[in-house]
Amino acid sequence: DAKTTQPTSMDCAEGRAANLPCNHSTISGNEYVYWYRQIHSQGPQYIIHGLKNNETNEMASLIITEDRKSSTLILPHATLRDTAVYYCIVRAGAGSYQLTFGKGTKLSVIP
Amino acid sequence: DAGVTQSPTHLIKTRGQQVTLRCSPKSGHDTVSWYQQALGQGPQFIFQYYEEEERQRGNFPDRFSGHQFPNYSSELNVNALLLGDSALYLCASSFVGTGGESGYTFGSGTRLTVV
């Protein structure tokens, strides 16, 4: 699975959009981009995933560049409960079962 | 609808002992994965079970073994515990019918301390 690069930490004001970047320059054509987050003392929580097109669900939006070498997770209106470590993971589809977590980005939402 | 359930939540063991951790997957899920998360690090994949067999394994020694039961629940066994095995052990489940592309549901983990 391709490696990812994320900033170590970020701050975001409550109510503003949080934009979390991820670089995955060695991504292959069959690899998906997944985002998970982990709130302190809990297990990781699935947020969203995508292959080529931008995706949106009730939690977030995922913007993938046309060359697929980077992506951005957008939390449209961050709340204090969004304070967590966010992991960007690149994983092949069928036949690849493991998630390879890096150190992620520690997002702090500030009141 | 219950999510992934893990037991116990906390455990203290002595070096050299053996430990068994348990996981019940989310209703409707049939695959179970185990991860180890050391303090300050991201989770590391141990192995995944499907149809009661281990179908993928991460870079962990044979001291780590598992089992999946017909009801899809799973156990993680660690023999000859080392101090370095102290970590949060996470269980994640999914439904294989999605082609492996859906997200995994994680439990809250078992905190193992080896003294």
Side-chain angles (χ1 to χ4, degrees):
Chain A
D1 293 342
K3 291 187 176 179
T4 62
T5 303
Q6 299 178 254
T8 302
S9 63
M10 294 181 63
D11 291 339
C12 177
E14 187 178 18
R16 304 295 295 269
N19 295 277
L20 291 90
C22 179
N23 287 321
H24 31 78
S25 58
T26 60
I27 192 169
S28 306
N30 68 336
E31 290 181 315
Y32 289 77
V33 179
Y34 284 77
W35 284 83
Y36 283 76
R37 72 179 182 183
Q38 189 171 23
I39 298 170
H40 184 63
S41 298
Q42 297 182 20
Q45 177 189 23
Y46 165 79
I47 301 173
I48 199 168
H49 76 280
L51 182 62
K52 294 181 180 178
N53 301 321
N54 298 336
E55 303 287 344
T56 296
N57 62 20
E58 64 278 5
M59 290 182 67
S61 294
L62 173 61
I63 308 298
I64 303 174
T65 58
E66 190 170 347
D67 62 9
R68 305 210 320 124
K69 293 185 177 183
S70 65
S71 60
T72 300
L73 178 74
I74 301 172
L75 308 178
H77 306 286
T79 71
L80 298 179
R81 288 175 295 180
D82 292 321
T83 292
V85 177
Y86 288 76
Y87 296 99
C88 170
I89 298 166
V90 173
R91 176 172 92 92
S96 174
Y97 309 117
Q98 73 177 69
L99 298 174
T100 302
F101 289 83
K103 293 193 173 182
T105 295
K106 177 68 167 70
L107 175 68
S108 299
V109 180
I110 311 299
Chain B
D1 180 23
V4 176
T5 305
Q6 294 189 242
S7 64
T9 55
H10 295 82
L11 199 55
I12 300 175
K13 287 288 190 178
T14 302
R15 190 172 44 183
Q17 285 188 316
Q18 178 264 344
V19 68
T20 297
L21 310 181
R22 295 176 175 81
C23 172
S24 293
K26 181 179 178 178
S27 178
H29 285 184
D30 54 9
T31 71
V32 173
S33 303
W34 287 92
Y35 287 79
Q36 179 195 68
Q37 186 173 25
L39 205 59
Q41 305 295 316
Q44 301 297 306
F45 177 76
I46 303 175
F47 41 54
Q48 185 181 88
Y49 276 82
Y50 171 63
E51 293 188 331
E52 303 179 45
E53 292 192 357
E54 181 186 294
R55 70 172 178 175
Q56 189 170 17
R57 187 180 183 90
N59 189 25
F60 278 80
D62 292 344
R63 298 188 296 110
F64 290 78
S65 63
H67 190 78
Q68 185 180 33
F69 300 94
N71 67 352
Y72 308 119
S73 67
S74 177
E75 290 181 347
L76 166 65
N77 301 292
V78 186
N79 294 323
L81 284 167
L82 304 174
L83 297 179
D85 294 332
S86 295
L88 180 68
Y89 287 85
L90 295 159
C91 173
S93 71
S94 65
F95 172 52
V96 75
T98 60
E101 295 171 4
S102 70
Y104 290 90
T105 301
F106 281 81
S108 295
T110 294
R111 173 70 63 186
L112 173 65
T113 302
V114 182
V115 297

